[in-house]
Amino acid sequence: MNQAYPARNKESISGLIERVTYFNEESGFVVLRVKIKGRRDLLTVVGQSISANAGEWVKAEGVWARDREHGLQFKAERLVCTPPTNIEGIEKYLASGMIKGIGPVYAKKMVARYGEKIFDIIETASAKLESIDGIGPGRRRKIKDAWQEQKVVRKIMVFLHSNGVSTSRAVRIYKTYGEEAIEKVQNNPYILARDIRGIGFMSADHIAQKLGIPEDSLHRAQAGLNHMLTEASGNGHCGLPEDLLIRQTAELLTVDESIPRNGLAQALHAGDVVRDAVGEHELIFLPALKKAEEYIARRILDLSGQPSSYPDIDFNKAIHWVQESNKLQLAASQTEAIRCALENRVVIITGGPGVGKTTIIQSILKVLHAKRVTFALCAPTGRAAKRLSESTGHEARTIHRLLEVNPRNGQFKHDEESPLEEKLLVVDECSMVDIPLMHHLLKALPEDGHLLLVGDVDQLPSVGPGSVLKDFIQSGCLSVVRLQEIFRQAAGSRIITNAHRINQGQMPMMEEDAPLSDFYFIDREEPERTAATLLQMVRDRIPSKFQVHPILDIQVLCPMNRGSLGVREMNLTLQNALNPVRHGDVVAEKFGWQFRARDKVIQTENNYDKEVFNGDIGQISSIDPIEKEIKVQFEQRKVIYDFGELDELSLAYAITIHKSQGSEFPVVVMPVATQQYMLLQRNLVYTGVTRGRKLVVIIGQKKALGMAVNNSKNASRYSGLLHRLRAGS
């Protein structure tokens, strides 16, 4: 196996930087050419540093590696650069451009005049520099200021390194806090978890221990509480009951419950968290989530109480015209849905696959377009937006693009001060929309705006906090049209038929010998046989029989991450089978994952700078080991990642069913086994089946499938939205 950087024992080296071949200011990635004692040729050193300049002395810890194109390199995990001490190095250093006001000409003059004392002169007697031809008061001050800035940078790096912070994280910390980095980290290292991407509570806690922060510190308790609430929001909760929050935080910190209870009192007093009675529960919220719930409830109730602001529409004439011009016959349920959407400010249309949701949307848009009513179409994911655009013939965007997110701060351009211009906002795949996103959508809706929410409430709820669509429907405050009739064209699909059967608590029809079916169940009792069969199906049988690409067209969906049939193991197996390392291949490694050209990958968090979002799936087109970059093809555009950003990507040969929401794939293959019993729920399997467009294959135990179909209990989420809607109605 030819790897760019094979594992070696760690070593330390030091030497003079002859030149800086490459430096990325954003990531801190550098390529240095270094003169090392005892070596005739210059050595290439790669790593990360806030700054590096010719003439500096560099100390590096890392491993030796042989690059396919560039030969032997030293891959540094830690780089420390210090000013040089000999005349040659001093002149190179001053000539490198890192000290503003000094170039090669002035560097030569300064070293010629003051020799090895030049640094002391700049530091303590900079006025003497004005004796050098061409250096006046202005240039002298510029040189002095630049020198002080470099001193600060080095001091910060030494401090962070000595407290167990890696160079890559040190670069992020410095870029966030600047000269105040040491003071801020010393005062409260837990702010790192809040402010620095890639540093979570556990990392911040490790730094805090290095700094001697006691276990019973209030800063630590408050950070632990915040961490647990943030974790809870990632699991769908908007808040947590106080006792549960205290207990979980005490377990996290391994301290007595009195400590997080004291921390909570302080956090409540400071307004960092808020307490609110929600029905039978008294919940602790992060303030932003409570405010978002309150705003959503207030705005939705206000909208639902107002009449339509559309121009007068003769409904019967409109329906007749739509049917005639589109050569279709609308069912009674579809007609009712269209009427609802035209007569009310907020309407929800929900139902499973094949019940005519797309036809309804098309018909509504046709009528409104004829009346010159403007509208905007959106969906939570890029794939869902693309599908909506294809089905309606109108442009559809992701919600983030519609609201015009600012990549620098994650804020949206469109809000109450700058609302959308369109009168109607259509949101597809609305079951995926969480509390924060619905909050921003409603803020951007104009005062006379209409909202059409379309989705399948029986699918999994949003990955983020809340159950917005479900709460809207259960509140009884809004006009809801639930579609249940499967139309003739869709009824011929086993995928659609079986999806509805599963949703109704019935086992799917699954004759293994059904000719040319689009739905198959393959019975395998042992997990090992399930895994082996799945591999055979994905690699050989399905591509051969259905003429599809094994990587691009087939998506394996797993109920869970762990276990022999979980996402991680499946990805490793499928990667080696479908995309083995070929001769000459370069690979990149991060957190135990190996990335190769041609790998299918998924974005795991929103990145507004790159305009890629959690759940976007792409394929690695190339890996550059020198520039330390990976290029990923997403739909119609390429996105570049530094190696330091690979924590945003995961392999996507297999993904969780949760991650598949909002997407459709030509082929879905899904393993089910009793070992997954904790997650075997009806809405999970139902969601997985509805992701397949042309073919769905389930492999595993009938017993496990039966357990899922019969389990209609969904994990409850702590949220106040339903209570607020009902209380205000």
Side-chain angles (χ1 to χ4, degrees):
M1 187 179 292
N2 185 11
Q3 296 184 19
Y5 297 114
R8 298 285 190 274
N9 293 327
K10 287 185 183 179
E11 295 184 31
S12 297
I13 62 166
S14 58
L16 184 72
I17 301 175
E18 284 286 330
R19 63 179 182 271
V20 180
T21 305
Y22 176 80
F23 178 60
N24 185 313
E25 288 190 6
E26 287 297 314
S27 65
F29 177 73
V30 292
V31 180
L32 310 174
R33 296 287 282 166
V34 179
K35 181 189 278 185
I36 293 179
K37 189 177 180 180
R39 289 182 63 91
R40 186 169 58 183
D41 299 330
L42 296 180
L43 172 69
T44 298
V45 177
V46 299
Q48 286 180 296
S49 179
I50 288 174
S51 70
N53 302 279
E56 288 185 312
W57 190 260
V58 63
K59 293 181 180 179
E61 295 176 13
V63 296
W64 293 96
R66 188 167 297 278
D67 182 80
R68 179 171 58 91
E69 294 183 25
H70 302 277
L72 190 66
Q73 299 180 339
F74 190 80
K75 184 187 177 187
E77 294 179 3
R78 182 171 295 183
L79 283 175
V80 178
C81 299
T82 55
T85 55
N86 61 36
I87 291 294
E88 178 191 8
I90 290 170
E91 187 173 331
K92 279 183 183 291
Y93 179 70
L94 292 174
S96 69
M98 60 81 61
I99 304 290
K100 291 177 182 176
I102 306 176
V105 173
Y106 285 113
K108 189 175 282 297
K109 288 181 180 180
M110 292 165 73
V111 171
R113 175 69 61 89
Y114 294 112
E116 294 177 2
K117 296 180 180 177
I118 184 61
F119 291 158
D120 289 332
I121 296 294
I122 296 172
E123 177 82 21
T124 61
S126 63
K128 292 183 178 181
L129 296 176
E130 295 182 27
S131 66
I132 298 171
D133 185 39
I135 298 181
R139 186 179 295 275
R140 189 259 303 173
R141 283 194 295 272
K142 189 182 288 185
I143 291 170
K144 175 77 171 179
D145 290 346
W147 177 259
Q148 289 300 123
E149 185 181 338
Q150 287 296 314
K151 276 189 67 181
V152 170
V153 169
R154 286 195 180 84
K155 186 180 177 183
I156 290 169
M157 290 300 286
V158 169
F159 168 76
L160 293 173
H161 281 155
S162 65
N163 286 287
V165 181
S166 68
T167 301
S168 60
R169 286 177 172 175
V171 170
R172 291 179 187 174
I173 292 169
Y174 174 72
K175 289 191 175 296
T176 302
Y177 302 129
E179 295 183 6
E180 297 178 339
I182 293 176
E183 182 185 355
K184 283 184 174 292
V185 174
Q186 281 180 326
N187 287 342
N188 181 11
Y190 295 101
I191 62 171
L192 298 173
R194 181 192 69 199
D195 298 340
I196 310 297
R197 186 177 60 81
I199 298 183
F201 171 80
M202 301 309 290
S203 297
D205 197 40
H206 177 73
I207 296 166
Q209 289 174 21
K210 284 268 191 178
L211 289 169
I213 304 291
E215 284 191 346
D216 60 355
S217 156
L218 276 179
H219 281 318
R220 185 169 187 255
Q222 289 168 356
L225 290 163
N226 191 283
H227 173 71
M228 294 314 303
L229 286 171
T230 303
E231 285 285 293
S233 72
N235 292 322
H237 304 291
C238 295
L240 287 176
E242 183 172 330
D243 288 344
L244 177 62
L245 174 61
I246 295 295
R247 185 169 68 253
Q248 289 181 343
T249 307
E251 289 171 0
L252 171 74
L253 304 179
T254 59
V255 296
D256 186 79
E257 288 187 8
S258 62
I259 292 169
R261 203 170 291 281
N262 290 337
L264 179 60
Q266 290 283 344
L268 286 166
H269 180 73
D272 296 331
V273 299
V274 289
R275 183 188 280 122
D276 194 26
V278 175
E280 299 175 359
H281 297 286
E282 197 165 64
L283 302 183
I284 305 296
F285 290 85
L286 293 171
L289 282 174
K290 177 176 176 284
K291 286 178 182 175
E293 284 190 352
E294 290 172 338
Y295 182 90
I296 292 168
R298 191 166 58 249
R299 187 78 204 278
I300 283 291
L301 290 169
D302 179 56
L303 284 167
S304 66
Q306 296 183 34
S308 168
S309 64
Y310 292 142
D312 287 339
I313 298 170
D314 187 320
F315 180 74
N316 292 327
K317 281 185 179 178
I319 289 295
H320 179 73
W321 173 69
V322 165
Q323 293 183 128
E324 285 289 312
S325 56
N326 287 351
K327 294 181 173 56
L328 59 83
Q329 181 63 48
L330 293 168
S333 59
Q334 293 175 310
T335 303
E336 179 56 28
I338 297 167
R339 183 191 296 276
C340 247
L342 296 176
E343 292 179 351
N344 295 277
R345 293 285 293 275
V346 185
V347 173
I348 296 171
I349 297 174
T350 186
V355 296
K357 296 192 294 291
T358 299
T359 301
I360 292 168
I361 297 172
Q362 289 171 330
S363 301
I364 293 167
L365 298 182
K366 191 174 183 70
V367 172
L368 294 177
H369 183 69
K371 288 288 185 177
R372 293 182 170 81
V373 175
T374 56
F375 49 79
L377 279 62
C378 64
T381 67
R383 285 173 174 252
K386 184 182 179 186
R387 201 167 68 247
L388 180 61
S389 186
E390 289 170 349
S391 65
T392 63
H394 297 280
E395 181 193 11
R397 288 167 281 178
T398 64
I399 295 171
H400 287 84
R401 289 199 175 97
L402 175 71
L403 301 184
E404 297 185 48
V405 66
N406 183 329
R408 299 298 172 195
N409 56 22
Q411 299 299 306
F412 294 101
K413 174 185 174 181
H414 293 292
D415 55 17
E416 290 167 303
E417 301 298 318
S418 178
L420 296 164
E421 294 179 357
E422 293 84 359
K423 179 158 286 195
L424 168 65
L425 181 57
V426 180
V427 187
D428 199 15
E429 295 285 356
C430 197
S431 62
M432 295 180 65
V433 178
D434 59 19
I435 289 285
L437 203 50
M438 181 55 69
H439 177 218
H440 289 297
L441 270 171
L442 289 171
K443 283 173 72 176
L445 189 71
E447 279 298 314
D448 64 345
H450 289 237
L451 192 61
L452 176 58
L453 304 175
V454 184
D456 187 349
V457 73
D458 295 319
Q459 287 190 26
L460 291 168
S462 59
V463 174
S467 304
V468 176
L469 184 61
K470 182 181 174 184
D471 288 350
F472 279 178
I473 293 171
Q474 288 188 349
S475 72
C477 306
L478 302 175
S479 297
V480 179
V481 179
R482 184 182 279 273
L483 303 168
Q484 294 177 314
E485 181 185 353
I486 305 174
F487 291 97
R488 187 171 57 191
Q489 187 177 356
S493 164
R494 279 285 179 90
I495 294 174
I496 290 175
T497 303
N498 281 333
H500 284 273
R501 287 179 65 89
I502 291 167
N503 198 31
Q504 293 160 11
Q506 303 172 35
M507 287 289 281
M509 296 180 288
M510 49 191 184
E511 295 85 354
E512 289 189 39
D513 59 350
L516 299 175
S517 177
D518 60 0
F519 185 100
Y520 294 91
F521 177 83
I522 301 173
D523 197 352
R524 295 289 185 269
E525 282 299 314
E526 297 82 18
E528 296 77 14
R529 286 196 66 204
T530 299
T533 301
L534 185 148
L535 175 59
Q536 183 189 29
M537 285 288 168
V538 173
R539 184 184 60 198
D540 304 317
R541 291 184 63 183
I542 293 174
S544 172
K545 185 172 181 179
F546 295 91
Q547 286 74 58
V548 294
H549 194 285
I551 296 177
L552 302 179
D553 295 329
I554 301 177
Q555 186 60 60
V556 175
L557 300 181
C558 303
M560 59 198 300
N561 278 299
R562 298 178 181 175
S564 61
L565 298 175
V567 166
R568 183 174 180 84
E569 285 301 315
M570 285 288 102
N571 266 319
L572 292 172
T573 299
L574 291 165
Q575 182 191 39
N576 289 327
L578 303 177
N579 190 28
V581 175
R582 305 174 189 176
H583 180 71
D585 274 356
V586 174
V587 303
E589 294 187 17
K590 189 79 173 182
F591 300 136
W593 290 107
Q594 192 179 87
F595 295 98
R596 309 165 186 170
R598 302 171 301 279
D599 273 338
K600 182 159 65 171
V601 291
I602 185 169
Q603 179 76 14
T604 59
E605 60 185 69
N606 292 337
N607 187 317
Y608 303 112
D609 268 326
K610 300 183 190 296
E611 288 193 357
V612 286
F613 303 102
N614 192 354
D616 286 353
I617 292 176
Q619 188 176 30
I620 296 175
S621 56
S622 64
I623 299 175
D624 188 330
I626 300 303
E627 299 290 339
K628 293 291 183 293
E629 289 179 348
I630 284 184
K631 290 181 180 176
V632 180
Q633 184 75 44
F634 290 100
E635 298 289 341
Q636 303 303 313
R637 54 191 290 270
K638 277 187 181 173
V639 178
I640 298 173
Y641 294 81
D642 289 326
F643 278 17
E645 298 173 315
L646 292 183
D647 53 347
E648 296 184 22
L649 294 174
S650 289
L651 293 178
Y653 297 97
I655 61 176
T656 63
I657 297 171
H658 281 86
K659 283 285 188 185
S660 75
Q661 287 176 268
S663 297
E664 275 190 355
F665 309 96
V667 180
V668 162
V669 180
M670 198 163 39
V672 292
T674 53
Q675 64 177 218
Q676 306 159 331
Y677 73 95
M678 290 291 289
L679 291 172
L680 288 177
Q681 296 170 347
R682 185 185 298 170
N683 63 350
L684 192 81
V685 176
Y686 171 72
T687 301
V689 169
T690 58
R691 299 308 89 200
R693 191 165 64 247
K694 295 179 180 177
L695 177 67
V696 171
V697 179
I698 300 178
I699 307 170
Q701 301 159 317
K702 281 185 182 177
K703 181 181 177 183
L705 183 58
M707 287 169 62
V709 170
N710 290 320
N711 182 13
S712 61
K713 295 180 182 177
N714 302 320
S716 60
R717 294 185 164 192
Y718 292 111
S719 167
L721 180 59
L722 180 60
H723 171 77
R724 301 183 204 283
L725 287 165
R726 286 175 170 171
S729 62

